[in-house]
Amino acid sequence: MRTSYRRATFAALFASTALISAPAFAQEAAADDENADEIVVTAQKRSESLQNVPISIQALGTQKLEQLNISNFNNYAQQLPSVSFQGSGTPGVNVIYMRGVASGGDGNHSGSLPSVGVYLDEQPVTTIGGNLDVHIYDVARIESLSGPQGTLYGASSQAGTIRIITNKPSTSGFEGGMDAEINSVAHGKVGGKLEGYVNAPLGGSAALRVSGFYQRDAGYIDNVAGTRCFLGTGCVNNNAFVEQNYNDTESYGGRAALGINLDDNWTVTPSVLYQNTKSNGMYAFDPSVGDLQVQHFFPEFRTDKFVQAALTIEGKVGNWDLTYAGAYLDRKTFSSSDYTDYSEAYDQLYSYYGGIAGYLYVWDQFGNDIDPRQKVIGSDHFKKFSQELRIASPSDKPFRIVAGAFYQYQSNDIHQDYQVANLGPLVSVNGLPGTLWLTQQHRIDKDYALFGEATFDVTEQFTLTAGVRGYKYDNSLIGFFGFGRNPGNWFSDGPYNAAGSSRTGVAGCFTTTGSRLRPVAGTPGVTLAPAAVDGSPCTNLGVWNGSGVDPVRAKGDGLTWRFNATYKFSPSVMVYSTISKGFRPGGINRRADVAPYGVDTLINYETGWKTTLAPGLRFNGAIYQQDWKKFQFSYLGANSFTEIHNGPDARIRGIDVDLAYNRGGFSLNLAAAYTDAKMTKNLCETDDPTYQCNGGTEIVSPAGTRLPVTPKFKLSGTARYSANVGDNTKAYGQVNVAYQSSATGDVRLAEATALGRLPEFATVNLAFGVDLSKLNLELFVSNLFDERGQISRYVSCGQCYQRPYVVPIQPRTIGMRVGYDF
């Protein structure tokens, strides 16, 4: 039986007390890390002690990552209270938020740019439509920078930045290691992983570092037997796809970096990263079917392959530091998903007319009604090319400068094919029998920036910093979306398509004369202009240029800035105040009758402190208010078509705190966030610059409504005790607790109610092990009480609230790890 979060929290606190009071097995118990008090970060693009950086930042170092067995995004997001996310649970499709800057529904590949930037070393790996879920192994640290970081990190760092810093090649000596794990998931199967790395000096001036991994995550969602009945066409079952624990994931990959010291001042580091992930099934369950159960009717899988080649050059020009960071990322995804819920919802919606069979034209080639169920075949081919050149003055001078230039080019080839088996060619998308709807588009996002930040030590205690970033963006989208059009009698015969739509799809395509098809359909000789994007029948998303079609564009420029004042009462006590601005570019809606959406901005007011209260005791925190202007939000509109709009303003107030203690074999880490995020104006049914919503009759969500996704309270804590039990032998025990309060899944009140709240939950993770010189043995339990914590809720389409899905945390997992260093 699953227990409540209160029982889980009580047990965690009890276990922590037991660890604290555990007797020492030897006279002298050493701390796990002699340098645990000193964490060096590069958040300001310089190497600095965490305690000297006037930014709200959390850092998970190598040792903490290993101790918490963190290997993916979900693992480390649980330990970062200011981070929240939304998605379907499938690896690589999460949308990341920080400090409550979340409106929900931002994961569409044609939607808004992310508000949180993700970096791998010096290179951005932020992607649209889902995060790059880099496997965490042989990683030096993960830095979580809260608040706008637009001065140094650009457009997609409006609300914060996550940085994954890998271990670099070292010429100091040969080293390597291997780690293996086997685990068993409650209600599921057995999984495990194998990891290893090698660092090999190549003479005295170069070194090669290579790491690799293979991981298999056990499934725990069952696709159980069921039927769906449709008016006029009868019932169907899913017997061919019934399977227990069908949501397993297999991933593998590696990273190689070559460090070359050209001389005492210049280093060149080329690197390459490859990762391949294949996920089967879905990572959510349908509560109306049962706990950890769904009833789906088509094959479900997703492959996610990416490769990144990067080059970092670091050196000195005089006594100034010069850094070049360039990278090319190529990511390909391919998926198949069940879309039966859509057919079920619309069959109910049109029940008065006899369901889909009575209202639409889902016919075979002979005009007979057919099974209306759909599956979606999708792919994305995402490419990113980025370059940054920056220079920094000597860090030991009272006046310091960091300045540089940045360029980024991103493209995405988008393919979404909504298929109905045996759909007739005259009611399908033209040239694609069986395709009810097609999205075939090419998106490009370009960013240019110049940035600079100057710091001046007014006195030994008082420091002022000012930074500015001038940016320019140029985003474009071209292609096709929608239904087909019956080509008979010069595109005037009916039915026009399976949906009977006269407006969406081929009807909106350009003809060779530059006119859209709809007003000239039936004209003898009317001909569609050639498609601008391969694989589509024609082009309806674009601008006619007189002889062809150009992309729809959204351009803009502006400035972001940051001002900071820091005062050090002593070397161990610092306070700071910051005001900073973040932004997110505007963009294009695919539907011609929906206006483009504009830039949204975030102004952050923050006061924080960094303190070392005693040897081994650190207490940091920040209090902030953020004003979010005309926030972008996405939702599934008519025909489940994604629309992006600028909403009203929002105000976010919160507190971040971080406490760490490490002495005598005992370590304690606590991190917590309080986030109060609310709209300050009404969200209206239609765009209304006055936010009066037609006299109050069109209010979707009133002023004061909480923003979705982010819980008001989130915390994590880890207590660990280790003791010497013999020569070169150390035993340890660890308890980790994570808690988050409830949240909603949608900014719109009616939809949020239909979706259901995300209830509060807590989890407890335990680990016990022994270090035998170079060998480590560990037993662990994750989610000790098998809590069914809900991290996201979603529906398959805009009308599909009859089946909201719940994305749970992984059920209780018991396993063993073995590690060996050589």
Side-chain angles (χ1 to χ4, degrees), residues 316-377:
K316 286 187 175 293
V317 178
N319 61 351
W320 288 55
D321 295 320
L322 183 70
T323 302
Y324 166 80
Y328 174 76
L329 172 67
D330 189 298
R331 182 187 192 186
K332 297 178 181 178
T333 68
F334 180 73
S335 63
S336 173
S337 54
D338 180 76
Y339 206 45
T340 299
D341 291 359
Y342 179 94
S343 304
E344 180 187 41
Y346 278 87
D347 199 59
Q348 295 174 5
L349 182 66
Y350 300 139
S351 60
Y352 178 81
Y353 306 96
I356 289 175
Y359 192 77
L360 302 180
Y361 308 93
V362 184
W363 297 345
D364 63 15
Q365 61 179 327
F366 305 109
N368 301 313
D369 290 322
I370 59 174
D371 175 3
R373 291 175 301 137
Q374 299 179 45
K375 68 176 179 180
V376 184
I377 303 298

Coordinates of all heavy atoms in Angstrom, one line a residue, residues 316-377:
K316 N 45.8 33.3 -23.7 CA 46.1 34.6 -23.2 C 46.6 35.5 -24.3 O 47.4 35.1 -25.1 CB 47.0 34.6 -22.0 CG 46.5 34.0 -20.7 CD 47.4 34.2 -19.6 CE 46.8 33.7 -18.3 NZ 45.7 34.6 -17.9
V317 N 46.1 36.7 -24.3 CA 46.6 37.8 -25.1 C 47.1 38.9 -24.1 O 46.3 39.6 -23.5 CB 45.5 38.4 -26.0 CG1 46.1 39.6 -26.8 CG2 45.0 37.3 -27.0
G318 N 48.5 38.9 -23.9 CA 49.0 39.6 -22.8 C 48.6 38.9 -21.5 O 48.8 37.7 -21.4
N319 N 48.0 39.7 -20.6 CA 47.5 39.1 -19.4 C 45.9 39.0 -19.4 O 45.3 38.7 -18.4 CB 47.9 39.8 -18.2 CG 47.5 41.3 -18.2 OD1 46.9 41.8 -19.2 ND2 47.7 42.0 -17.1
W320 N 45.3 39.1 -20.6 CA 43.9 38.9 -20.8 C 43.6 37.5 -21.3 O 44.3 36.9 -22.0 CB 43.3 39.9 -21.8 CG 43.3 41.3 -21.3 CD1 44.3 42.1 -20.8 CD2 42.2 42.2 -21.3 NE1 43.9 43.3 -20.4 CE2 42.6 43.4 -20.7 CE3 40.8 42.1 -21.6 CZ2 41.7 44.5 -20.5 CZ3 40.0 43.2 -21.4 CH2 40.4 44.4 -20.9
D321 N 42.4 37.0 -20.8 CA 42.0 35.6 -21.2 C 41.1 35.7 -22.4 O 40.1 36.5 -22.4 CB 41.3 34.9 -20.0 CG 42.2 34.7 -18.8 OD1 43.3 34.3 -19.0 OD2 41.7 34.8 -17.7
L322 N 41.4 34.9 -23.4 CA 40.6 34.8 -24.6 C 40.1 33.4 -24.8 O 40.8 32.4 -24.6 CB 41.5 35.2 -25.9 CG 40.8 35.2 -27.2 CD1 39.8 36.4 -27.3 CD2 41.8 35.2 -28.4
T323 N 38.8 33.3 -25.0 CA 38.1 32.1 -25.2 C 37.2 32.0 -26.4 O 36.4 33.0 -26.7 CB 37.2 31.8 -24.0 OG1 38.0 31.8 -22.8 CG2 36.5 30.4 -24.1
Y324 N 37.4 31.0 -27.2 CA 36.5 30.7 -28.3 C 35.8 29.4 -28.0 O 36.4 28.4 -27.7 CB 37.3 30.6 -29.7 CG 36.4 30.0 -30.8 CD1 35.5 30.8 -31.4 CD2 36.5 28.6 -31.1 CE1 34.7 30.2 -32.4 CE2 35.7 28.1 -32.0 CZ 34.8 28.9 -32.7 OH 33.9 28.3 -33.7
A325 N 34.5 29.4 -28.2 CA 33.7 28.2 -28.0 C 32.7 28.0 -29.2 O 31.9 28.9 -29.5 CB 32.9 28.3 -26.7
G326 N 32.9 27.0 -30.0 CA 32.0 26.7 -31.1 C 31.5 25.3 -31.0 O 32.2 24.4 -30.5
A327 N 30.3 25.0 -31.6 CA 29.7 23.7 -31.6 C 28.7 23.5 -32.7 O 28.1 24.5 -33.2 CB 29.1 23.4 -30.2
Y328 N 28.6 22.3 -33.1 CA 27.6 21.9 -34.0 C 26.8 20.7 -33.4 O 27.4 19.7 -33.1 CB 28.2 21.5 -35.4 CG 27.1 21.0 -36.4 CD1 26.3 21.8 -37.0 CD2 27.0 19.6 -36.6 CE1 25.3 21.3 -37.9 CE2 26.1 19.1 -37.5 CZ 25.2 20.0 -38.2 OH 24.3 19.5 -39.0
L329 N 25.5 20.9 -33.3 CA 24.6 19.8 -32.8 C 23.7 19.3 -33.8 O 23.0 20.1 -34.5 CB 23.9 20.4 -31.6 CG 22.8 19.5 -31.0 CD1 23.4 18.3 -30.3 CD2 21.9 20.3 -30.0
D330 N 23.6 18.0 -34.0 CA 22.6 17.4 -34.9 C 21.8 16.4 -34.2 O 22.3 15.4 -33.6 CB 23.4 16.7 -36.1 CG 22.5 16.3 -37.2 OD1 21.6 15.4 -36.9 OD2 22.7 16.7 -38.3
R331 N 20.5 16.6 -34.1 CA 19.6 15.8 -33.3 C 18.5 15.3 -34.2 O 17.8 16.1 -34.9 CB 19.0 16.6 -32.1 CG 18.1 15.7 -31.2 CD 17.4 16.6 -30.2 NE 16.7 15.8 -29.2 CZ 16.0 16.3 -28.2 NH1 15.8 17.6 -28.1 NH2 15.4 15.5 -27.3
K332 N 18.2 14.0 -34.2 CA 17.1 13.4 -35.0 C 16.2 12.6 -34.1 O 16.7 11.8 -33.3 CB 17.7 12.5 -36.1 CG 18.5 13.2 -37.2 CD 19.1 12.2 -38.2 CE 19.9 12.9 -39.2 NZ 20.5 11.9 -40.2
T333 N 15.0 12.8 -34.2 CA 14.0 12.0 -33.4 C 13.0 11.4 -34.4 O 12.7 12.0 -35.5 CB 13.2 12.9 -32.4 OG1 12.4 13.8 -33.0 CG2 14.2 13.6 -31.5
F334 N 12.5 10.3 -34.0 CA 11.5 9.6 -34.8 C 10.5 8.9 -33.9 O 11.0 8.2 -32.9 CB 12.1 8.6 -35.8 CG 11.1 7.8 -36.6 CD1 10.4 8.5 -37.7 CD2 10.8 6.5 -36.4 CE1 9.5 7.8 -38.5 CE2 9.8 5.8 -37.1 CZ 9.2 6.5 -38.2
S335 N 9.2 9.0 -34.1 CA 8.3 8.5 -33.1 C 7.0 8.0 -33.8 O 6.6 8.4 -34.9 CB 7.9 9.6 -32.1 OG 7.3 10.6 -32.7
S336 N 6.4 7.1 -33.0 CA 5.0 6.6 -33.4 C 4.2 6.7 -32.1 O 4.6 6.2 -31.1 CB 5.1 5.2 -33.9 OG 3.8 4.7 -34.1
S337 N 3.0 7.3 -32.2 CA 2.2 7.4 -31.0 C 0.7 7.1 -31.3 O 0.3 7.4 -32.4 CB 2.4 8.8 -30.3 OG 2.1 9.8 -31.3
D338 N 0.0 6.7 -30.3 CA -1.4 6.4 -30.4 C -2.2 7.6 -30.3 O -1.9 8.5 -29.4 CB -1.8 5.4 -29.3 CG -3.3 5.0 -29.4 OD1 -3.6 4.2 -30.3 OD2 -4.0 5.5 -28.6
Y339 N -3.2 7.8 -31.2 CA -4.0 9.0 -31.1 C -5.5 8.7 -31.1 O -6.3 9.4 -31.6 CB -3.7 9.9 -32.4 CG -3.9 11.4 -32.2 CD1 -3.5 12.1 -31.0 CD2 -4.5 12.1 -33.2 CE1 -3.8 13.4 -30.9 CE2 -4.8 13.5 -33.0 CZ -4.4 14.1 -31.9 OH -4.6 15.5 -31.7
T340 N -5.8 7.5 -30.6 CA -7.1 7.0 -30.5 C -8.0 8.0 -29.7 O -9.2 8.1 -29.9 CB -7.2 5.6 -29.9 OG1 -6.4 4.7 -30.8 CG2 -8.6 5.1 -29.8
D341 N -7.4 8.6 -28.7 CA -8.2 9.5 -27.8 C -8.8 10.6 -28.6 O -9.9 11.1 -28.2 CB -7.2 10.1 -26.7 CG -6.8 9.1 -25.7 OD1 -7.2 7.9 -25.8 OD2 -6.0 9.5 -24.8
Y342 N -8.1 11.1 -29.6 CA -8.7 12.1 -30.5 C -10.0 11.7 -31.1 O -11.0 12.3 -31.1 CB -7.7 12.5 -31.5 CG -8.1 13.6 -32.5 CD1 -7.9 15.0 -32.2 CD2 -8.8 13.3 -33.6 CE1 -8.3 16.0 -33.1 CE2 -9.3 14.3 -34.5 CZ -9.0 15.6 -34.3 OH -9.4 16.6 -35.2
S343 N -9.9 10.5 -31.7 CA -11.1 9.9 -32.4 C -12.3 9.7 -31.4 O -13.4 9.9 -31.6 CB -10.8 8.6 -33.1 OG -9.7 8.8 -34.0
E344 N -11.9 9.2 -30.2 CA -12.9 9.0 -29.1 C -13.6 10.3 -28.7 O -14.8 10.3 -28.6 CB -12.2 8.3 -27.9 CG -13.2 8.0 -26.8 CD -12.4 7.5 -25.5 OE1 -11.3 8.1 -25.2 OE2 -13.0 6.6 -24.9
A345 N -12.8 11.3 -28.5 CA -13.3 12.6 -28.1 C -14.3 13.2 -29.1 O -15.3 13.7 -28.8 CB -12.2 13.6 -27.8
Y346 N -13.8 13.2 -30.4 CA -14.7 13.8 -31.4 C -15.9 12.9 -31.8 O -16.9 13.5 -32.2 CB -13.8 14.1 -32.7 CG -13.1 15.4 -32.5 CD1 -11.8 15.4 -31.9 CD2 -13.6 16.6 -32.9 CE1 -11.2 16.6 -31.7 CE2 -13.0 17.8 -32.7 CZ -11.7 17.8 -32.1 OH -11.1 19.0 -31.9
D347 N -15.8 11.6 -31.6 CA -17.0 10.8 -31.8 C -18.1 11.1 -30.7 O -19.3 11.2 -31.0 CB -16.6 9.3 -31.6 CG -17.6 8.4 -32.2 OD1 -17.9 8.5 -33.4 OD2 -18.2 7.5 -31.5
Q348 N -17.6 11.4 -29.5 CA -18.5 11.9 -28.4 C -19.1 13.3 -28.7 O -20.2 13.6 -28.5 CB -17.8 11.8 -27.1 CG -17.5 10.4 -26.6 CD -16.6 10.5 -25.3 OE1 -16.4 11.5 -24.7 NE2 -16.2 9.3 -24.9
L349 N -18.2 14.2 -29.2 CA -18.5 15.5 -29.5 C -19.6 15.6 -30.6 O -20.6 16.4 -30.5 CB -17.3 16.3 -29.9 CG -17.5 17.8 -30.2 CD1 -17.9 18.6 -28.9 CD2 -16.2 18.4 -30.8
Y350 N -19.5 14.7 -31.6 CA -20.5 14.7 -32.7 C -21.6 13.6 -32.5 O -22.2 13.2 -33.5 CB -19.8 14.5 -34.0 CG -18.7 15.5 -34.3 CD1 -17.5 15.2 -34.9 CD2 -18.9 16.9 -34.1 CE1 -16.5 16.1 -35.2 CE2 -18.0 17.8 -34.3 CZ -16.7 17.4 -34.9 OH -15.8 18.4 -35.2
S351 N -21.8 13.2 -31.3 CA -22.7 12.1 -31.1 C -24.2 12.4 -31.5 O -24.9 11.6 -32.0 CB -22.7 11.7 -29.6 OG -23.1 12.8 -28.8
Y352 N -24.5 13.7 -31.4 CA -25.9 14.1 -31.8 C -26.1 13.9 -33.3 O -27.2 13.6 -33.8 CB -26.0 15.6 -31.6 CG -27.3 16.2 -32.0 CD1 -28.5 16.0 -31.2 CD2 -27.4 16.9 -33.2 CE1 -29.7 16.6 -31.7 CE2 -28.7 17.4 -33.6 CZ -29.8 17.2 -32.9 OH -31.0 17.8 -33.3
Y353 N -25.0 13.9 -34.1 CA -25.0 13.7 -35.5 C -24.7 12.3 -36.0 O -24.6 12.0 -37.1 CB -24.1 14.7 -36.3 CG -24.3 16.1 -35.9 CD1 -23.5 16.7 -34.9 CD2 -25.3 16.8 -36.5 CE1 -23.7 18.0 -34.6 CE2 -25.5 18.2 -36.2 CZ -24.7 18.8 -35.2 OH -24.9 20.1 -34.9
G354 N -24.5 11.4 -35.0 CA -24.2 10.0 -35.3 C -22.7 9.8 -35.2 O -22.2 8.8 -35.8
G355 N -22.0 10.6 -34.4 CA -20.5 10.5 -34.3 C -19.7 10.9 -35.5 O -20.2 11.6 -36.4
I356 N -18.5 10.5 -35.5 CA -17.6 10.8 -36.6 C -18.2 10.3 -37.9 O -18.2 11.0 -39.0 CB -16.2 10.2 -36.4 CG1 -15.5 11.0 -35.3 CG2 -15.4 10.2 -37.7 CD1 -14.2 10.4 -34.9
A357 N -18.8 9.1 -37.9 CA -19.4 8.5 -39.1 C -20.5 9.4 -39.7 O -20.7 9.4 -40.9 CB -19.9 7.1 -38.8
G358 N -21.3 10.0 -38.8 CA -22.4 10.8 -39.2 C -22.0 12.3 -39.6 O -22.8 12.9 -40.3
Y359 N -20.9 12.7 -39.1 CA -20.6 14.2 -39.2 C -19.4 14.4 -40.2 O -19.4 15.5 -40.8 CB -20.3 14.7 -37.8 CG -20.2 16.3 -37.8 CD1 -21.4 17.0 -37.8 CD2 -19.0 16.9 -37.8 CE1 -21.4 18.4 -37.8 CE2 -19.0 18.3 -37.7 CZ -20.1 19.0 -37.7 OH -20.1 20.4 -37.7
L360 N -18.5 13.5 -40.2 CA -17.3 13.7 -41.0 C -17.3 12.7 -42.2 O -18.3 12.0 -42.4 CB -16.0 13.5 -40.1 CG -15.9 14.5 -38.9 CD1 -14.6 14.2 -38.2 CD2 -16.0 15.9 -39.4
Y361 N -16.1 12.6 -42.9 CA -16.1 11.8 -44.1 C -14.8 10.9 -44.0 O -14.0 10.8 -44.9 CB -16.0 12.7 -45.3 CG -17.1 13.8 -45.4 CD1 -16.8 15.0 -44.8 CD2 -18.3 13.5 -45.9 CE1 -17.8 16.0 -44.8 CE2 -19.3 14.4 -45.9 CZ -19.1 15.7 -45.4 OH -20.1 16.6 -45.4
V362 N -14.8 10.2 -42.9 CA -13.6 9.2 -42.7 C -14.0 8.0 -43.5 O -14.6 7.0 -42.9 CB -13.4 9.0 -41.2 CG1 -12.1 8.1 -41.1 CG2 -13.1 10.3 -40.5
W363 N -13.7 7.9 -44.8 CA -14.2 6.9 -45.7 C -13.0 6.2 -46.3 O -11.9 6.7 -46.4 CB -15.0 7.5 -46.9 CG -16.2 8.2 -46.5 CD1 -16.9 8.2 -45.3 CD2 -16.9 9.1 -47.3 NE1 -18.0 8.9 -45.3 CE2 -18.1 9.6 -46.6 CE3 -16.8 9.6 -48.6 CZ2 -19.0 10.5 -47.1 CZ3 -17.7 10.5 -49.1 CH2 -18.8 10.9 -48.4
D364 N -13.2 5.0 -46.8 CA -12.2 4.4 -47.7 C -12.4 4.8 -49.1 O -13.2 5.7 -49.4 CB -12.3 2.8 -47.5 CG -13.7 2.3 -48.0 OD1 -14.4 3.0 -48.7 OD2 -14.0 1.1 -47.7
Q365 N -11.7 4.2 -50.1 CA -11.7 4.7 -51.4 C -13.1 4.5 -52.1 O -13.4 5.1 -53.2 CB -10.7 4.0 -52.3 CG -10.8 2.5 -52.3 CD -9.7 1.8 -53.1 OE1 -9.3 2.4 -54.1 NE2 -9.3 0.6 -52.7
F366 N -14.0 3.6 -51.5 CA -15.3 3.4 -52.1 C -16.4 4.2 -51.4 O -17.6 4.0 -51.7 CB -15.6 1.9 -51.9 CG -14.6 1.0 -52.6 CD1 -13.7 0.2 -51.8 CD2 -14.4 1.0 -53.9 CE1 -12.8 -0.6 -52.3 CE2 -13.4 0.2 -54.5 CZ -12.6 -0.6 -53.7
G367 N -16.0 5.0 -50.4 CA -17.0 5.8 -49.8 C -17.6 5.2 -48.6 O -18.7 5.7 -48.0
N368 N -17.0 4.1 -48.1 CA -17.6 3.4 -46.9 C -17.0 4.0 -45.6 O -15.8 4.3 -45.6 CB -17.3 1.9 -46.9 CG -17.9 1.3 -48.2 OD1 -19.0 1.5 -48.5 ND2 -17.1 0.5 -48.9
D369 N -17.8 4.1 -44.5 CA -17.2 4.5 -43.2 C -16.2 3.5 -42.7 O -16.4 2.3 -42.9 CB -18.4 4.7 -42.2 CG -19.3 5.8 -42.5 OD1 -18.8 6.9 -42.9 OD2 -20.5 5.7 -42.3
I370 N -15.1 4.0 -42.1 CA -14.1 3.1 -41.6 C -13.7 3.4 -40.2 O -14.2 4.4 -39.7 CB -12.8 3.2 -42.5 CG1 -12.3 4.6 -42.5 CG2 -13.1 2.7 -43.9 CD1 -10.9 4.8 -43.2
D371 N -13.0 2.5 -39.6 CA -12.5 2.7 -38.2 C -11.7 4.1 -38.2 O -10.8 4.3 -38.9 CB -11.5 1.6 -37.9 CG -10.9 1.7 -36.6 OD1 -11.1 2.7 -35.8 OD2 -10.0 0.8 -36.2
P372 N -12.2 5.0 -37.3 CA -11.6 6.4 -37.4 C -10.3 6.6 -36.5 O -9.8 7.7 -36.4 CB -12.7 7.2 -36.9 CG -13.4 6.4 -35.9 CD -13.3 5.0 -36.4
R373 N -9.9 5.5 -35.9 CA -8.7 5.7 -35.0 C -7.5 6.2 -35.8 O -7.3 5.8 -36.9 CB -8.4 4.4 -34.3 CG -9.4 3.9 -33.3 CD -9.0 2.6 -32.7 NE -8.9 1.6 -33.8 CZ -8.0 0.7 -33.9 NH1 -7.0 0.6 -33.0 NH2 -8.0 -0.2 -34.9
Q374 N -6.6 7.0 -35.1 CA -5.4 7.5 -35.7 C -4.2 7.2 -34.9 O -4.2 6.9 -33.7 CB -5.5 9.1 -35.7 CG -6.7 9.7 -36.4 CD -6.7 11.2 -36.4 OE1 -5.6 11.8 -36.5 NE2 -7.8 11.8 -36.1
K375 N -3.1 7.1 -35.7 CA -1.8 7.1 -35.1 C -1.0 8.2 -35.7 O -1.3 8.7 -36.8 CB -1.1 5.8 -35.3 CG -0.7 5.5 -36.7 CD 0.1 4.2 -36.8 CE 0.5 3.9 -38.3 NZ 1.2 2.6 -38.4
V376 N 0.1 8.7 -35.0 CA 0.9 9.8 -35.4 C 2.3 9.3 -35.6 O 2.9 8.8 -34.7 CB 0.8 11.0 -34.4 CG1 1.6 12.2 -35.0 CG2 -0.6 11.4 -34.1
I377 N 2.8 9.5 -36.8 CA 4.2 9.2 -37.1 C 4.9 10.6 -37.2 O 4.5 11.5 -38.0 CB 4.4 8.5 -38.5 CG1 3.6 7.2 -38.4 CG2 5.9 8.2 -38.8 CD1 4.1 6.2 -37.4

